[in-house]
Amino acid sequence: MIKLKYKGVFDIPDGEGSCVITLTDEGEKKALSIMTHRTLGLQLKAYSHDRKEALRSAVGVLAYILEEKKALDQYHVCIDAKKDLGFNARLENELDNSSLPISPDEAVMLAVVTGMDMLATANAFQFFSTPYSQNAHMVALPILGLPDSMLKKALSQAVEDENYETASYIRDEMKRREQKHRE
C-alpha cells in the first residue's frame, strides 16, 4: 500500500463542470488524478480550508460520528483501481478488517476532513499514475474518467496528432460506454 497526500482540486477548462482531485505518493514523484463533478470539487476546496463546512454534508456527518466515537484511528481510506474500470475506494476498519465501499472522490473528502490516512494499492499506481511536478501547469487525466464530450475531443486530437494507439484506446472506451449504455 502506498500512502497518499492530497494536493488539491483543480477545475478543468471545457470540462463540463468536471474537476480533478490530485493525490501524490509521499515522495511526490507520482500522481493520481481522480475526476469529480464541480459541486463536490468546490465542497472539497471549502472543506480543506474551513472544517466547519464539512458538517453540512453526509461525508461531514460520517466524519463527526467517527470523531465522537473516537474511532478515527481505526480507519483509513483505500483507493484501488481496475485497468478497464477505473478507481474504486473503501473505508477500511483496521481492527476487524471490515470495509465499506465509498466513491473515490468522497473517500478523499472524508480523509481530508478527518485527517485520516489515504492509501492506494499498487494497481492504482500501476494503471493510473502519472509523473508529478509541483510546477506543472497541466495534469494528465485518465481516459476512463473523462466525460463523453472530452473523450470525443481527445479522440480528435489523437487522430490529428497521428497518435493511432491512443486513438484506438479512446475508440475502445467509447464503444465500451455505448455498450454499457445500451445494457
Side-chain angles (χ1 to χ4, degrees), residues 36-140:
T36 189
H37 51 84
R38 191 167 199 278
T39 303
L40 199 136
L42 291 173
Q43 289 174 342
L44 183 53
K45 282 183 185 181
Y47 298 166
S48 61
H49 293 17
D50 181 2
R51 211 164 166 275
K52 290 179 185 175
E53 284 294 314
L55 294 177
R56 299 176 193 228
S57 71
V59 170
V61 171
L62 176 58
Y64 178 79
I65 291 169
L66 291 172
E67 286 176 351
E68 285 296 304
K69 291 188 169 217
K70 304 209 183 312
L72 277 178
D73 59 343
Q74 297 174 25
Y75 291 90
H76 65 261
V77 164
C78 179
I79 296 178
D80 195 5
K82 293 193 171 136
K83 186 175 184 179
D84 296 327
L85 299 175
F87 291 108
N88 62 69
R90 300 178 304 277
L91 176 62
E92 296 183 336
N93 184 320
E94 297 172 5
L95 295 180
D96 64 11
N97 292 322
S98 63
S99 67
L100 292 169
I102 184 171
S103 68
D105 50 359
E106 289 179 338
V108 172
M109 200 173 344
L110 180 61
V112 169
V113 168
T114 61
M116 184 181 297
D117 283 343
M118 277 187 291
L119 305 173
T121 63
N123 280 345
F125 270 84
Q126 177 185 353
F127 298 133
F128 295 105
S129 69
T130 56
Y132 177 74
S133 170
Q134 200 164 33
N135 301 323
H137 297 288
M138 294 188 298
V139 64

